[in-house]
Amino acid sequence: MSEEIKKFKVTIDGQTTEVLPGTSILEAARQIGGKSVPPAMCYYSKLETSGGRCRTCLVEVSKGSEADPRPMPKLVASCRTGVMDGMEVKNLTSEKAQEGRKAVTEFLLINHPLDCPICDQAGECHLQDLGYEHGVEGTRTEFERNTYDADDIGPYIKLNMNRCILCARCVLAANQLTEKREHGILFRGDHAEISTYLNKALDNDFIGNVIDVCPVGALTDRTARFASRVWFTKPVNATCKCEKCSGKAVLWMKGDEIVRVTARKDQYDEVQDWICNECRFERKDPKYWSIEGPRHIDRHSVISLNHYEKPKDYYRQLDNPDAIEIAKKDEEKIENNN
């Protein structure tokens, strides 16, 4: 009989879980779930060697382990730091982590244009979420922002390098899903940028998935650009008969029109099943699809406001036939107290 692997106990924001050795703090936090999960802009569990670039997942380790209870002297990237037995981590409960995340957000916004009103990613952008939670009204830099011209890097994909945060997700996705990669990160430092090789275009059968893994609006669907704001569309689960991929996708509908097609994602906005370009770009007619029903968006976003059903434990006063009587009683109590 094989020996049972001893699991490590890790406590995050006062919540304890057991994980296998080699698990990162971020994955342990995801196992616990809830608001203790740090945000991640570059880490992608389905892409090898991802993480460690954006630093938005910084956490404070207040206790290293049972064997060595000393706290770690600096904030650590939770996606790249493995857990130890007895480790205690602070995320929401750490002022240092929140201040560090705020500083990282300010850094990511140094060159990022304030074009949310015209960006197709608005409403489902992770940087936009971080900006609302940790951003500041102004910037402390006095230098001009780096600017780039929008570029068509394939028949279906538009690159707005102005918005890129160099998370490298698209490069890793291309490495994993395609036989040969036609784009990458060129140059170094503040001159680094995503670009294709000379006279090359992104036209692989699965290259459209780089749009889904992009956390900001740097890579967008040319067939759906400026077609509609995301909160005016309704996502539905649908399937089609496809020989290249699973055929499972999300249709973003505006009335009876399919505005765009994306892969299905989990609560951490990671793709569950990769889809091919034909399903994503070519099949914009409802006749190709069998609609299963509304798609529930797990992550907090303006998209979640398009409710198809009442959430559990949700109470509306208008649904209560005694609402008028309750209101009258409250008014009487106020008058009596006065």
Side-chain angles (χ1 to χ4, degrees), residues 112 115-129 163 169 210-221 224-226 228-231 260 262 265 269 299 301-303:
H112 198 85
D115 60 352
C116 296
I118 63 169
C119 179
D120 285 308
Q121 192 80 359
E124 51 184 356
C125 175
H126 293 266
L127 186 58
Q128 192 178 49
D129 295 339
R163 305 168 184 164
R169 280 184 180 180
V210 299
I211 299 173
D212 280 338
V213 302
C214 182
V216 293
L219 296 172
T220 51
D221 181 353
R225 278 174 64 85
F226 310 125
S228 175
R229 308 303 291 179
V230 66
W231 51 85
R260 64 172 181 151
T262 63
K265 300 181 180 181
D269 212 36
R299 60 185 294 265
S301 172
V302 69
I303 315 170

Side-chain angles (χ1 to χ4, degrees), residues 56-76:
T56 59
C57 66
L58 291 174
V59 294
E60 178 185 355
V61 178
S62 57
K63 179 181 177 181
S65 65
E66 287 292 347
D68 186 0
R70 293 176 300 175
M72 291 189 178
K74 297 181 180 180
L75 299 177
V76 299

Side-chain angles (χ1 to χ4, degrees), residues 99-286:
E99 285 296 319
R101 197 163 296 154
K102 181 178 179 180
V104 168
T105 303
E106 183 182 1
F107 178 76
L108 292 176
L109 291 170
I110 285 178
N111 286 307
H112 198 85
L114 300 178
D115 60 352
C116 296
I118 63 169
C119 179
D120 285 308
Q121 192 80 359
E124 51 184 356
C125 175
H126 293 266
L127 186 58
Q128 192 178 49
D129 295 339
L130 282 174
Y132 277 117
E133 294 172 7
H134 304 285
V136 292
E137 295 180 358
T139 178
R140 289 179 287 177
T141 60
E142 300 177 356
F143 306 101
E144 293 185 3
R145 297 174 184 265
N146 290 339
T147 56
Y148 306 86
D149 293 329
D151 190 17
D152 295 332
I153 58 175
Y156 301 112
I157 303 173
K158 172 79 77 174
L159 170 64
N160 287 84
M161 188 58 212
N162 287 345
R163 305 168 184 164
C164 181
I165 61 169
L166 295 174
C167 68
R169 280 184 180 180
C170 62
V171 179
L172 298 177
N175 278 339
Q176 179 174 319
L177 298 175
T178 64
E179 296 180 356
K180 56 180 181 178
R181 178 164 52 85
E182 304 291 358
H183 79 297
I185 300 177
L186 306 184
F187 312 117
R188 294 184 178 184
D190 62 340
H191 296 291
E193 63 178 281
I194 297 288
S195 183
T196 58
Y197 300 142
L198 293 176
N199 300 322
K200 297 293 183 180
L202 306 186
D203 57 359
N204 186 275
D205 285 340
F206 284 83
I207 200 63
N209 289 284
V210 299
I211 299 173
D212 280 338
V213 302
C214 182
V216 293
L219 296 172
T220 51
D221 181 353
R222 289 179 62 188
T223 66
R225 278 174 64 85
F226 310 125
S228 175
R229 308 303 291 179
V230 66
W231 51 85
F232 292 138
T233 60
K234 294 184 178 181
V236 296
N237 288 333
T239 56
C240 69
K241 295 181 181 179
C242 183
E243 298 178 354
K244 298 179 182 178
C245 66
S246 64
K248 298 179 180 179
V250 177
L251 309 181
W252 298 81
M253 308 285 294
K254 191 173 184 180
D256 295 329
E257 178 188 359
I258 299 176
V259 176
R260 64 172 181 151
V261 181
T262 63
R264 298 185 183 183
K265 300 181 180 181
D266 59 19
Q267 60 180 323
Y268 301 113
D269 212 36
E270 295 185 359
V271 173
Q272 296 172 321
D273 292 296
W274 308 105
I275 62 174
C276 65
N277 286 359
E278 185 176 353
C279 292
R280 183 185 300 273
F281 302 117
E282 303 294 341
R283 298 181 176 178
K284 293 293 185 72
D285 194 322

